Amino acid sequence: MLKKIMITCKEATLLSSKSEETKLSIGDLVKLKMHLTMCKVCANFDSQVKLLMEAVKMIDSDVNLTEEEKTELKRMLNDNMNNN
Amino acid sequence: MFIINFRCNFLPSLCVYVLLIVQKKISLYMELKQIDETKWVDNYSDKLLRFAYSRIRDRETALDLVQDTFLSALKSVDSFKGEISEKNWLFLILRNKIIDYYRKQARSMVTNVDFSENNDDDSHFDENGVWKKSSVPNDWGIDAHTRIENQEFQSILQKCLSKLKEVQRIVFTMKYINDEESEIICKELEINSNNYWVIIHRAKLNLRKCIELNWFS
């Protein structure tokens, strides 16, 4: 019985990843929670990944074209307009 | 006119609704029908580039796709019917270009990637499924939350993202940066849900480790 509930760190982290997106089955949820209460490092993994996913959502790249790139694009568009 | 008046006596709210829709359509049509190719670069190129970059994380490729978008748009100007705005129309073209790009990349990678259990995870776990010493998630401290709200952390995060294997980066970016549904990602990249889970999970394992090494140690 206990053996069925015990899972390895590898399995636990996969369940932890999945639990962020989908609902785990009751069985999997119990296995994961059991493991996380006993295993400090997997609990670390669980909370750290959640933290990182929040951080990732905030990524905002201030990417812009340079003036040269804009001029080049305009020239290219212009050429193609004249060809049509 | 008589009919509209007649009906309005009976169904005022419905009539108002219909009139509003008609009015909206007309104003949309007047507003959107015009296209001005000469202003595309000034008006949209930065926004389009940012959109492409957020998905591809490679500036050069993103810029190429923006250029392709303008060229395709130019070719199909005549078929533009003004049903959507010029801006949305350009974004739609770019979006399709990005999907094509992903699909081409992912397909060649997915077929080359070995999805068997003991592939990439081996770098994190031993044969008993226990964490390897080099990958053990260490405590980040109680101030971890505040330590990531920082410009410097953002650049580390970007770097770690760009270090992911390409297929992991693509799937991860679509899911967490572009906030797309898992089912849609699987469909767009033509991967099954099992592969999807493995890819996402490995991306998280690798990303977490990279952040710990570069930021929390």
Side-chain angles (χ1 to χ4, degrees):
Chain A
M1 169 67 187
L2 205 57
K3 261 210 164 146
K4 270 191 186 162
I5 298 182
M6 302 302 246
I7 51 176
T8 65
C9 293
K10 191 173 170 178
E11 291 164 320
T13 52
L14 184 61
L15 287 182
S16 154
S17 277
K18 277 193 182 182
S19 73
E20 281 177 60
E21 286 191 48
T22 57
K23 265 197 143 166
L24 294 180
S25 68
I26 303 277
D28 283 346
L29 196 65
V30 170
K31 285 180 197 163
L32 176 64
K33 292 286 172 204
M34 279 277 286
H35 188 97
L36 291 185
T37 49
M38 294 182 299
C39 178
K40 181 81 175 34
V41 284
C42 284
N44 280 347
F45 176 85
D46 191 63
S47 62
Q48 288 166 3
V49 167
K50 285 193 174 78
L51 191 66
L52 284 185
M53 293 315 111
E54 285 307 310
V56 161
K57 281 180 189 159
M58 289 188 284
I59 282 189
D60 184 31
S61 41
D62 32 341
V63 182
N64 289 306
L65 282 90
T66 62
E67 281 312 309
E68 293 84 60
E69 284 168 340
K70 281 190 184 173
T71 321
E72 176 62 20
L73 260 187
K74 279 179 192 164
R75 197 188 52 74
M76 189 261 324
L77 272 180
N78 216 355
D79 289 353
N80 276 277
M81 266 189 262
N82 296 337
N83 287 341
N84 284 345
Chain B
M1 213 51 217
F2 170 74
I3 294 171
I4 291 178
N5 275 333
F6 176 75
R7 290 222 168 145
C8 279
N9 286 334
F10 291 97
L11 297 161
S13 58
L14 182 72
C15 281
V16 169
Y17 183 64
V18 170
L19 284 175
L20 274 177
I21 290 179
V22 171
Q23 197 184 14
K24 208 173 167 191
K25 282 253 171 195
I26 292 172
S27 63
L28 270 178
Y29 185 80
M30 299 187 37
E31 202 176 295
L32 307 176
K33 184 62 188 172
Q34 334 122 338
I35 272 197
D36 189 350
E37 299 98 320
T38 56
K39 294 211 172 108
W40 280 355
V41 175
D42 286 329
N43 287 346
Y44 307 117
S45 62
D46 284 335
K47 290 187 189 102
L48 290 167
L49 181 71
R50 229 166 285 151
F51 182 76
Y53 181 81
S54 80
R55 299 172 156 236
I56 287 168
R57 306 225 85 71
D58 176 66
R59 195 176 182 283
E60 209 169 310
T61 311
L63 189 59
D64 283 348
L65 290 181
V66 172
Q67 181 175 331
D68 282 356
T69 300
F70 284 142
L71 284 177
S72 297
L74 207 55
K75 274 187 202 137
S76 50
V77 160
D78 294 338
S79 60
F80 179 77
K81 295 201 178 64
E83 282 152 345
I84 53 173
S85 70
E86 182 186 56
K87 181 180 160 201
N88 285 348
W89 179 60
L90 288 170
F91 270 90
L92 199 67
I93 298 174
L94 176 61
R95 203 186 126 78
N96 285 330
K97 299 236 172 260
I98 294 170
I99 291 172
D100 282 348
Y101 171 82
Y102 274 157
R103 206 174 274 158
K104 244 185 256 160
Q105 296 294 109
R107 198 179 290 156
S108 65
M109 282 178 295
V110 168
T111 47
N112 293 331
V113 171
D114 178 14
F115 285 107
S116 60
E117 265 299 289
N118 41 10
N119 181 19
D120 198 33
D121 298 10
D122 277 355
S123 57
H124 299 286
F125 299 98
D126 67 16
E127 63 277 13
N128 298 319
V130 178
W131 289 98
K132 280 189 179 171
K133 217 174 189 172
S134 55
S135 288
V136 168
N138 290 306
D139 199 340
W140 287 359
I142 41 167
D143 59 343
H145 276 273
T146 46
R147 286 183 68 191
I148 64 165
E149 288 166 0
N150 167 320
Q151 212 49 45
E152 209 184 324
F153 174 78
Q154 287 286 328
S155 73
I156 300 278
L157 188 56
Q158 297 263 15
K159 244 180 232 160
C160 286
L161 270 176
S162 65
K163 272 192 200 158
L164 290 178
K165 284 191 181 151
E166 198 159 23
V167 67
Q168 290 174 12
R169 201 185 64 236
I170 290 174
V171 177
F172 186 86
T173 305
M174 289 175 88
K175 174 65 200 176
Y176 285 101
I177 300 178
N178 304 321
D179 216 13
E180 295 198 37
E181 299 286 332
S182 327
E183 294 86 48
I184 292 175
I185 300 172
C186 290
K187 220 190 221 166
E188 284 185 355
L189 299 179
E190 295 172 6
I191 54 178
N192 68 36
S193 64
N194 252 346
N195 288 352
Y196 169 82
W197 284 117
V198 173
I199 294 169
I200 283 276
H201 183 50
R202 285 177 187 166
K204 287 177 185 172
L205 282 167
N206 292 328
L207 192 65
R208 195 212 66 79
K209 186 178 175 183
C210 177
I211 294 287
E212 180 165 311
L213 284 177
N214 292 290
W215 189 249
F216 287 102
S217 63

